[in-house]
Amino acid sequence: MTLSAPAPADPFTTLRPRLFGIAYRMLGVRADAEDVLQDAWLRWSRQDPTALQSAEAWLVTVVTRLSIDRLRALKAEREAYVGWWLPEPLVQLHDPSTGDAQHHHTPEAAAELAGELSVAFLYVLERLGPEERAAFLLRQVFDYDYPEIAAQLGKTEAACRQMVHRASERVQQSRTRFEVPRNVHHQLLQRFMLAAKSGDRNAIEALLSEDAQLIGDGGGKVPSFPKPLVGPFRIANLYWALFRRLGTQVAYRMALINGEPGLLRYVNGRIESAQALVTDGERIVAIYAVRNPDKLVGVPAVLDQR
């Protein structure tokens, strides 16, 4: 009896995590990224793979260009968005018994989503034009060479270098980058969670840097702040006031949000916000609170009481 060789894996399936990683970083919304992948798959299914020099180059080009088109179409919608626009969070739950993160509705979250993905990073990327954003991501996050990027975007190498250079400068200006060990970030977050849970205003304030800011995204669906809340006193007051009003009806759970330690907040057992917290290793410098219910559909809706 002869065993037939296993059929080679379909390149689209193999590359799907990378393609999703590109589309999600371009668009910041899971459903939009999935739509792009669906469009790309339909094109791929009509394509003769043997006619291609490189399936990866073809697929990355198609996904990048579809993402650029979709981002252009979304631009007017985002400009009319009520308040601050934050990306839809990709959430992995921490298993308290093992300390491991468990994926929730994020089959693509593994390898390709491990790198540059934080809510803070995607928030800064919103300042870039669609093509500039694509060139920057392909070079800085996915490590493609300039000849490849030029082919993917249908531009000259010189134009791509210029776009990446300009985008890098803009990203660096708008972004504070801290290299903080995961366990340090986790411990700080745990202290913050305990302080918020017990309504200890002084403890919350002590964990925030002097210029800490909180950016909330309610999308006009739930109340949020029209501008960032700045300073430890004002931010601590917000958490304290919520505790004073609702007490034990408010619960927090540790989670990985876009690959970094964050908090999920539940009110009466229902998800109310996903909060990505940026730290310099000693204090919390920024909180990005996604409260728009449309962006929380991929988050566990009911608090697991275990």
Side-chain angles (χ1 to χ4, degrees):
M1 177 181 159
T2 56
L3 289 173
S4 56
D10 173 52
F12 185 90
T13 308
T14 308
L15 290 163
R16 197 179 196 285
R18 167 156 289 222
L19 301 175
F20 180 83
I22 292 168
Y24 173 76
R25 284 180 179 85
M26 280 291 292
L27 301 164
V29 175
R30 190 201 322 260
D32 289 328
E34 291 289 1
D35 285 351
V36 160
L37 259 62
Q38 185 62 26
D39 277 0
W41 184 83
L42 289 170
R43 294 178 189 211
W44 171 251
S45 62
R46 296 194 294 265
Q47 183 66 35
D48 173 10
T50 58
L52 301 174
Q53 252 186 321
S54 159
E56 180 181 344
W58 190 91
L59 283 165
V60 168
T61 300
V62 168
V63 165
T64 302
R65 290 183 181 178
L66 286 170
S67 297
I68 288 170
D69 290 346
R70 183 163 281 249
L71 193 55
R72 282 196 184 117
L74 290 169
K75 219 144 182 53
E77 202 180 289
R78 288 193 187 172
E79 276 161 15
Y81 192 81
V82 178
W84 298 88
W85 191 94
L86 293 174
E88 177 192 353
L90 296 179
V91 171
Q92 296 164 262
L93 291 183
H94 269 293
D95 180 343
S97 59
T98 63
D100 291 337
Q102 297 191 329
H103 296 273
H104 183 84
H105 292 197
T106 53
E108 270 71 47
E112 291 299 343
L113 291 185
E116 293 282 15
L117 184 69
S118 71
V119 171
F121 177 60
L122 294 184
Y123 173 68
V124 168
L125 290 188
E126 281 297 301
R127 289 160 180 64
L128 305 178
E131 287 192 332
E132 206 178 14
R133 183 166 176 163
F136 176 79
L137 286 170
L138 290 169
R139 178 75 199 119
Q140 304 291 21
V141 176
F142 293 98
D143 215 22
Y144 285 103
D145 293 329
Y146 282 105
E148 293 173 294
I149 298 168
Q152 283 150 357
L153 296 182
K155 302 265 181 202
T156 65
E157 272 185 61
C160 290
R161 280 179 193 279
Q162 186 58 37
M163 276 197 289
V164 171
H165 176 71
R166 233 187 2 246
S168 301
E169 283 189 334
R170 291 181 73 183
V171 167
Q172 257 154 1
Q173 278 165 12
S174 316
R175 182 179 186 219
T176 322
R177 188 81 203 279
F178 303 104
E179 295 294 343
V180 179
R182 175 63 57 88
N183 64 326
V184 173
H185 196 158
H186 193 269
Q187 284 160 10
L188 198 63
L189 214 59
Q190 215 149 20
R191 285 162 58 202
F192 185 85
M193 181 174 80
L194 290 172
K197 211 187 260 188
S198 58
D200 186 339
R201 184 162 45 179
N202 293 338
I204 298 170
E205 210 175 323
L207 289 166
L208 294 160
S209 72
E210 278 309 303
D211 55 355
Q213 60 171 355
L214 182 146
I215 293 169
D217 174 352
K221 307 281 174 86
V222 293
S224 203
F225 299 102
K227 51 188 189 180
L229 214 55
V230 180
F233 178 76
R234 294 178 73 198
I235 296 171
N237 239 7
L238 181 71
Y239 284 86
W240 174 76
L242 188 73
F243 173 80
R244 279 287 302 245
R245 193 160 55 87
L246 298 171
T248 54
Q249 293 169 54
V250 181
Y252 293 86
R253 173 128 191 220
M254 299 281 284
L256 283 184
I257 296 176
N258 286 41
E260 296 192 345
L263 296 175
L264 301 180
R265 184 163 67 196
Y266 291 82
V267 174
N268 288 322
R270 308 290 302 175
I271 186 67
E272 177 268 346
S273 61
Q275 305 184 6
L277 291 90
V278 181
T279 171
D280 59 7
E282 290 180 10
R283 288 193 171 79
I284 288 156
V285 298
I287 300 171
Y288 296 90
V290 180
R291 300 187 64 233
N292 181 344
D294 296 347
K295 293 183 182 177
L296 296 173
V297 290
V299 181
V302 181
L303 181 64
D304 179 356
Q305 297 297 345
R306 276 181 314 167

